[in-house]
């Protein structure tokens, strides 16, 4: 890579596994890659990414760091404002656990511009669509992940979003992966059939199978994930990263 990759994760509704997928991606990249990985939270409405990562305390937020980081700072200087995670990874939360923290699109852009040169991969957990910050993050990212519950309603709503994304430059939807998250053990939905209208828009589709550990909530412990979940996560992380490197 010549520049750090920005991977934005968003959804059209809460409860679709957005922060869970962001945590899984960030953890996977941190495990397999040698360069620093940043998980950046761009969801000020009490997002659950810190909970999924097992973070107990938070000091600085995305809005704070947007005005703190300067070009002459070293990686060591920058990481002093972040929450350290295992395997050369860090978290920058969007809030300190309080409702009402402001994160507008300008603050988000300043934070990303300031931080992107320090990290090989940035996984950005965005607020739900069609919020302004989420739209800015999707437009500026190198690859996009759109999570949706594996239900008829989730698939219909996601299809509408993908149709809107078709109006944007071609690379946006070509570098988008829809992740259908199974929220129950047996959904009774033919996912291959359900994915066809989604893939017809130009996006890719993958399935994150139901996992008892993930469904329980709380911090993600990779050693407790079922084998199908590990396999699906590794495939998703690989495919999204390759999409982030393509030129369209």
């Amino acid at each position: 890579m010549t520049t750090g990759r920005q991977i934005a994760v968003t959804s059209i509704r809460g409860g679709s596994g957005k922060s869970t997928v962001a945590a899984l991606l960030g953890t996977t990249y941190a495990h397999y890659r040698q360069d620093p990985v940043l998980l950046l939270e761009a969801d000020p409405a009490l997002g659950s990414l810190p909970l999924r990562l097992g973070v107990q305390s938070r000091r600085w937020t995305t809005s704070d760091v947007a005005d703190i980081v300067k070009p002459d700072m070293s990686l060591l200087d920058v990481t002093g404002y972040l929450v350290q995670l295992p395997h050369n990874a860090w978290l920058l939360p969007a809030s300190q656990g309080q409702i009402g923290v402001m994160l507008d699109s300008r603050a988000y852009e300043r934070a990303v511009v300031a931080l992107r040169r320090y990290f090989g991969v940035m996984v950005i957990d965005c607020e739900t669509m069609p919020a302004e910050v989420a739209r800015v993050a999707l437009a500026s990212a190198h690859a996009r992940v759109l999570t949706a519950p594996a239900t008829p309603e989730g698939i219909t709503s996601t299809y509408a979003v993908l149709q809107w994304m078709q109006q944007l430059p071609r690379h946006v939807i070509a570098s988008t992966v829809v992740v259908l998250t199974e929220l129950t053990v047996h959904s009774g939905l033919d996912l291959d059939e359900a994915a066809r209208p989604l893939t017809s828009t130009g996006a890719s589709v993958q399935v994150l199978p139901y996992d008892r550990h993930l469904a329980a909530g709380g911090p993600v412990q990779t050693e407790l994930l079922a084998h199908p979940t590990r396999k699906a996560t590794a495939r998703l992380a690989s495919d999204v990263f390759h999409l982030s490197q393509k030129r369209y």
Side-chain angles (χ1 to χ4, degrees):
M1 296 185 304
T2 55
T3 59
R5 302 289 91 180
Q6 300 170 39
I7 297 170
V9 183
T10 189
S11 65
I12 56 170
R13 63 178 66 181
S16 67
K18 172 177 66 69
S19 295
T20 299
V21 170
L24 289 171
L25 285 175
T27 301
T28 302
Y29 293 135
H31 178 76
Y32 286 106
R33 296 191 60 81
Q34 296 182 352
D35 45 10
V37 173
L38 176 65
L39 289 95
L40 187 149
E41 190 179 37
D43 186 352
L46 290 181
S48 59
L49 184 59
L51 173 65
R52 279 312 213 181
L53 293 170
V55 171
Q56 301 296 325
S57 62
R58 318 175 201 181
R59 291 179 55 206
W60 304 92
T61 68
T62 303
S63 295
D64 297 330
V65 170
D67 298 317
I68 291 175
V69 176
K70 305 300 180 185
D72 60 345
M73 284 184 172
S74 67
L75 176 62
L76 184 61
D77 294 329
V78 171
T79 55
Y81 297 99
L82 310 176
V83 179
Q84 187 162 13
L85 303 170
H87 300 297
N88 206 31
W90 284 267
L91 165 70
L92 179 59
S95 73
Q96 295 178 339
Q98 299 175 342
I99 296 177
V101 176
M102 294 301 296
L103 176 64
D104 58 27
S105 58
R106 291 184 179 180
Y108 167 79
E109 288 178 316
R110 291 201 309 276
V112 170
V113 169
L115 292 168
R116 64 188 179 188
R117 70 186 184 92
Y118 297 96
F119 299 93
V121 182
M122 294 175 60
V123 178
I124 303 161
D125 182 12
C126 306
E127 56 189 337
T128 55
M129 294 286 287
E132 180 185 15
V133 173
R135 288 187 282 110
V136 170
L138 285 180
S140 60
H142 297 101
R144 301 141 191 87
V145 177
L146 184 62
T147 65
T151 63
E153 295 81 4
I155 291 169
T156 299
S157 300
T158 302
Y159 180 59
V161 172
L162 292 176
Q163 287 183 307
W164 167 76
M165 292 176 68
Q166 283 183 306
Q167 303 173 32
L168 303 176
R170 176 182 171 273
H171 74 274
V172 174
I173 199 162
S175 57
T176 296
V177 179
V178 176
V179 177
L180 299 178
T181 57
E182 292 189 301
L183 305 178
T184 58
V185 182
H186 301 292
S187 65
L189 185 66
D190 185 339
L191 293 179
D192 290 335
E193 182 66 26
R196 287 177 184 171
L198 304 181
T199 55
S200 70
T201 64
S204 305
V205 178
Q206 295 196 28
V207 176
L208 183 66
Y210 173 82
D211 187 283
R212 185 169 59 183
H213 171 59
L214 294 179
V220 174
Q221 300 180 54
T222 54
E223 67 274 13
L224 298 180
L225 296 174
H227 177 70
T229 306
R230 293 190 186 197
K231 186 176 180 180
T233 299
R235 181 173 59 248
L236 173 64
S238 175
D239 289 352
V240 171
F241 189 78
H242 283 302
L243 286 175
S244 75
Q245 293 181 293
K246 283 189 175 183
R247 295 184 178 181
Y248 297 91

